[in-house]
C-alpha cells in the first residue's frame, strides 16, 4: 500500500496529491496518438496568449522573475495538481461532458483516491466512532437516461471532515476516513449515511496561497460531497454536491458549483439532515 506524506501543510497535502497523480501511469499513454500539429497548435496558442498578456500590460523583468520563482515554488510544494484542478479543470470538464443528456457533473479535484472500502447499497461511510459533524443521510437512485435502474452501479464518495480536512492529504484521520464505495441494489437504490463536510480552504502556506494573497483573492470552496458514479456500458459521472446557503456557493475558488448540483436537505427534529439526490448516466456511444 502506497503511503503519502501526512500533514495539512501545503507541502504535505501537495506532496500527497502529486504522489497520488503520479501513481497513475496512464496520462501520457492516453495521448500517445495525438498528432504533432494538434500539440503544436495548443502549445503555440497558450504561448501566444501569454505573450499577448505581457504586451498588453507591459510586464516587467521583476514580474517575469517573480513568475519564474513562483512556478518553481509551485513544483517544490507539489501544488501543480491543486493549481490545475482549482483554476483550469472546470473548463476541461465542461468540454468533456457537453454532449451528455444525463446528470450534470463537475471537476474531480486533487483528492480522489481509488479503491475506497466497499460498503454496500445501504451503509455508513467509513468514519471514526465519534466523527464530529452534522449527520447526513442521502438516498437516491442510479438510472440510465432511458429510465431503467442500473443495479450494480457504484458510487465512489469522498469528502472532507468537520475541520475541512481530507483523509490521506492531512494528518489525524484514519486512511479511508469519509471515503467509501457504495454498490447500488438491483432496484438502483442507495442510502448513504455520513456527516456534512465543512467548507474547504485550499492551503494558504504554499504557492497557491501566495498567488491568492498577492492577487487579493480568497482561498475557499463551499462545502461539498464528491462522488463518481459508474455503471457498465455507461459514461462515468464525476460530480460534487453542494449545500444551500453556503457562503461560498457564489464565489467558489475552483469555479465548480452548478445549480443542478445543489442539494435540498431537510433538517430533522434532532438537527440531522436528510436528502434525496439521484443520478442519471448516459450510455456509452
Ligand atoms: C478540493 O477539495 C477540491 O474539491 C478541489 C476541486 C480543489 C481543491 C480542493
Ligand atoms: Fe474537495
Amino acid at each position: 500500500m502506497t503511503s503519502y506524506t501526512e500533514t495539512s501543510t501545503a507541502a504535505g497535502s501537495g506532496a500527497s496529491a502529486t504522489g497520488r497523480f503520479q501513481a497513475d501511469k496512464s496520462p501520457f499513454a492516453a495521448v500517445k496518438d495525438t498528432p504533432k500539429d494538434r500539440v503544436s497548435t495548443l502549445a503555440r496558442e497558450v504561448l501566444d496568449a501569454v505573450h499577448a498578456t505581457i504586451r498588453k500590460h507591459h510586464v516587467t523583468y521583476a514580474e517575469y522573475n517573480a513568475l519564474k520563482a513562483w512556478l518553481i515554488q509551485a513544483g517544490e510544494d507539489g501544488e501543480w495538481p491543486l493549481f490545475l484542478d482549482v483554476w483550469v479543470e472546470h473548463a476541461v470538464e465542461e468540454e468533456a461532458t457537453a454532449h451528455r443528456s444525463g446528470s450534470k457533473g463537475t471537476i474531480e479535484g486533487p483528492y480522489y483516491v481509488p479503491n475506497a472500502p466497499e460498503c454496500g447499497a445501504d451503509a455508513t461511510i467509513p468514519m471514526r466512532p465519534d466523527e464530529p459533524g452534522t449527520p447526513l443521510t442521502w438516498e437516491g437512485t442510479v438510472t440510465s437516461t432511458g429510465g431503467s435502474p442500473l443495479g450494480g452501479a457504484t458510487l465512489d464518495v469522498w469528502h472532507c471532515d468537520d475541520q475541512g480536512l481530507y483523509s490521506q492529504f492531512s494528518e489525524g484521520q484514519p486512511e479511508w476516513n469519509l471515503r467509501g464505495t457504495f454498490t447500488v441494489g438491483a432496484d438502483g437504490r442507495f442510502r448513504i449515511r455520513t456527516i456534512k463536510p465543512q467548507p474547504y480552504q485550499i492551503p494558504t502556506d504554499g504557492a497557491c496561497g501566495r498567488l491568492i494573497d498577492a492577487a487579493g483573492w480568497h482561498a475557499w470552496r463551499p462545502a461539498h460531497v464528491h462522488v463518481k458514479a459508474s455503471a457498465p456500458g455507461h459514461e462515468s459521472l464525476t460530480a460534487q454536491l453542494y449545500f444551500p446557503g453556503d457562503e461560498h456557493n457564489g464565489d467558489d475558488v475552483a469555479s465548480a458549483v452548478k445549480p443542478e448540483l445543489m442539494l435540498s436537505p431537510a433538517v430533522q427534529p434532532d438537527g440531522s439532515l436528510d436528502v434525496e439526490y439521484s443520478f442519471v448516466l448516459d450510455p456509452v456511444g
Side-chain angles (χ1 to χ4, degrees):
M1 162 104 355
T2 319
S3 99
Y4 303 114
T5 318
E6 294 211 2
T7 140
S8 32
T9 62
S13 56
S16 303
T18 298
R20 163 94 284 291
F21 185 74
Q22 288 173 332
D24 179 356
K25 299 294 182 226
S26 62
F28 293 123
V31 293
K32 69 180 190 339
D33 297 328
T34 305
K36 287 199 185 324
D37 66 344
R38 178 169 172 84
V39 178
S40 177
T41 299
L42 298 181
R44 189 77 265 157
E45 291 191 17
V46 169
L47 291 168
D48 287 348
V50 172
H51 304 152
T53 303
I54 291 166
R55 293 188 181 110
K56 179 175 174 193
H57 298 285
H58 310 295
V59 168
T60 66
Y61 260 104
E63 289 166 334
Y64 173 67
N65 286 329
L67 171 64
K68 258 194 203 177
W70 185 87
L71 292 167
I72 292 165
Q73 189 195 341
E76 286 174 352
D77 291 342
E79 284 201 338
W80 282 118
L82 180 67
F83 174 83
L84 289 164
D85 294 351
V86 166
W87 284 296
V88 180
E89 187 185 356
H90 66 90
V92 180
E93 191 275 337
E94 280 159 30
E95 288 300 314
T97 61
H99 64 282
R100 290 187 184 176
S101 58
S103 299
K104 276 279 181 222
T106 190
I107 65 175
E108 176 174 315
Y111 301 143
Y112 171 64
V113 184
N115 307 314
E118 172 58 47
C119 303
D122 180 355
T124 301
I125 202 166
M127 65 164 82
R128 295 164 282 193
D130 53 351
E131 189 67 40
T134 305
L136 172 69
T137 303
W138 166 23
E139 289 188 62
T141 57
V142 183
T143 56
S144 186
T145 47
S148 48
L150 291 173
T154 58
L155 294 178
D156 230 338
V157 176
W158 72 104
H159 62 77
C160 66
D161 71 0
D162 196 50
Q163 313 255 43
L165 299 174
Y166 283 87
S167 63
Q168 301 190 38
F169 297 89
S170 64
E171 278 175 353
Q173 295 180 61
E175 185 175 26
W176 294 104
N177 208 48
L178 305 174
R179 297 175 181 275
T181 303
F182 299 83
T183 303
V184 310
D187 56 358
R189 292 205 67 83
F190 63 88
R191 177 160 54 205
I192 298 169
R193 289 187 187 75
T194 184
I195 56 113
K196 179 185 183 288
Q198 283 297 306
Y200 174 83
Q201 186 182 32
I202 72 171
T204 53
D205 63 327
C208 291
R210 187 170 204 147
L211 170 61
I212 285 168
D213 186 51
W217 300 344
H218 73 76
W220 289 93
R221 300 214 58 223
H224 56 280
V225 173
H226 293 270
V227 58
K228 264 181 196 290
S230 312
H234 289 74
E235 293 189 34
S236 292
L237 172 73
T238 301
Q240 301 180 32
L241 305 177
Y242 301 95
F243 297 85
D246 193 290
E247 184 183 349
H248 292 293
N249 281 337
D251 66 356
D252 178 11
V253 65
S255 310
V257 179
K258 302 178 186 181
E260 297 88 346
L261 301 172
M262 201 56 63
L263 295 169
S264 307
V267 185
Q268 302 304 296
D270 66 357
S272 66
L273 302 173
D274 281 5
V275 69
E276 172 101 21
Y277 194 95
S278 293
F279 299 101
V280 180
L281 303 186
D282 285 71
V284 172

